Every structure is written in structure tokens, then in C-alpha cells.
Amino acid sequence: MENRNVILTGEVIEKKIERIAYEIYEHNYDEPSIILAGIWDRGSLITRKIADHLRRIAPFDVEVMEIRLDKASPGEVTLSETADFSGKVIVVIDDVANSGRTMLYAIKPFLAYLPKKIQTAVLVDRRHKSFPLSVDFVGYSLATTPQNMVMVDVEGEEIASAYLV
């Protein structure tokens, strides 16, 4: 087994996800609805957890959808639902922002419309980005070397840990 330097435990991750939900609410409290778009697969799990918190605390409607793309070669991006995203608030969510490339490609389908806002949220934000991406809602920010990778370990519907490799 590779060397795992745990940076977030499951218990801490749950608190970070709850805090992200509160921050999303604070920045969008006056909206009638928001769309949470999770990047498959770990981003989708985090999205569902954020949506659960938002549905308990926020008065607005929360729609959840999934974004699918090949993270190694993100040319084609598909959305689980098609709709007119004009005038909508969209929060694109993933587990880790490494280079920023995946998040930028995930945003691309929404740019065919005129959304009111596109915001981004990640559980872990690595500061060594190769692409111009600034994350709006961050659970944990980490300065790493470019050789380091941050991984999120999932067990079923639970997020067990985040670790540095």
C-alpha cells in the first residue's frame, strides 16, 4: 500500500461539507433556487451531501445534477439533465482541485447559456494549479509540491478520508 498522509478524517470532512453548505447559502440567500452540479463520481457524492445540508437550512430550491467527463482527457462533457441554465445560479462541485483543468472543462456546457452566476466548490483545494481557476467555496486549502497528489477515499456513500500521496 502506498504511503498515505491523511490530511482530513471522515469526521472532519463532514464538518467541512456542512461549512461549505452554509457558505453557499450565505452567498445565495436571496435566490429562489440553485443548481448543484457534481463532477462524477466523488464530486457527485459531495454534492449530494451539500444538498442535504442546504435543504435543511436554506429556503430556496436545490436542484442536483451530475457532470461526467474523462478527467485525464476532458474533451467531451455530458450533463445528467438538459435545461435552459440562463439566469440560474450554478455551483460546480468536485472533491479536489488539482490543476484546475477538470473544473474548467466541467463549467464549459453551462457557458452555452447565460447563467446568473457560476460558482465552484471543492473539498480540497491544491494551490499548484496549471489553469486559471479560483475556487469559491473550499473545505481545506493545501500547498503541496507539484509531485504530490491529493486523493479522497470513499466507502459506499461515505467519505472516509483525504490524503496526500
Side-chain angles (χ1 to χ4, degrees):
M1 182 183 217
E2 71 230 26
N3 184 20
R4 288 188 181 194
N5 179 10
V6 174
I7 55 175
L8 297 172
T9 63
E11 183 181 329
V12 171
I13 288 169
E14 284 301 318
K15 289 181 168 102
K16 301 277 186 200
I17 288 172
E18 182 178 16
R19 185 175 56 77
I20 290 169
Y22 274 98
E23 287 181 24
I24 291 171
Y25 175 33
E26 288 168 4
H27 284 83
N28 298 290
Y29 66 91
D30 55 349
E31 296 296 332
S33 66
I34 65 168
I35 298 169
L36 301 181
I39 298 173
W40 187 84
D41 66 334
R42 289 177 302 272
S44 297
L45 175 58
I46 293 166
T47 300
R48 290 191 297 275
K49 291 181 172 294
I50 290 171
D52 289 344
H53 285 293
L54 281 171
R55 288 180 178 127
R56 285 194 292 272
I57 62 174
F60 50 69
D61 288 331
V62 178
E63 298 174 49
V64 174
M65 62 184 306
E66 194 171 77
I67 302 167
R68 287 189 176 249
L69 69 154
D70 180 347
K71 290 184 178 189
S73 178
E76 184 181 337
V77 182
T78 57
L79 303 176
S80 62
E81 298 174 29
T82 55
D84 183 354
F85 298 106
S86 297
K88 304 285 187 178
V89 173
I90 302 159
V91 183
V92 178
I93 302 169
D94 204 2
D95 59 341
V96 179
N98 278 310
S99 69
R101 181 177 67 176
T102 299
M103 188 70 79
L104 287 177
Y105 273 92
I107 290 168
K108 188 178 174 188
F110 301 110
L111 298 178
Y113 303 90
L114 293 172
K116 183 175 183 180
K117 290 191 247 188
I118 297 177
Q119 299 169 321
T120 54
V122 295
L123 179 60
V124 179
D125 183 23
R126 267 190 68 210
R127 294 199 192 137
H128 288 285
K129 292 192 185 57
S130 306
F131 292 81
L133 176 74
S134 175
V135 181
D136 298 296
F137 310 110
V138 176
Y140 187 73
S141 186
L142 179 68
T144 63
T145 68
Q147 293 76 30
N148 289 127
M149 288 294 297
V150 176
M151 304 297 290
V152 174
D153 193 21
V154 173
E155 296 171 2
E157 285 293 304
E158 295 306 312
I159 304 167
S161 66
Y163 59 94
L164 194 61
V165 180

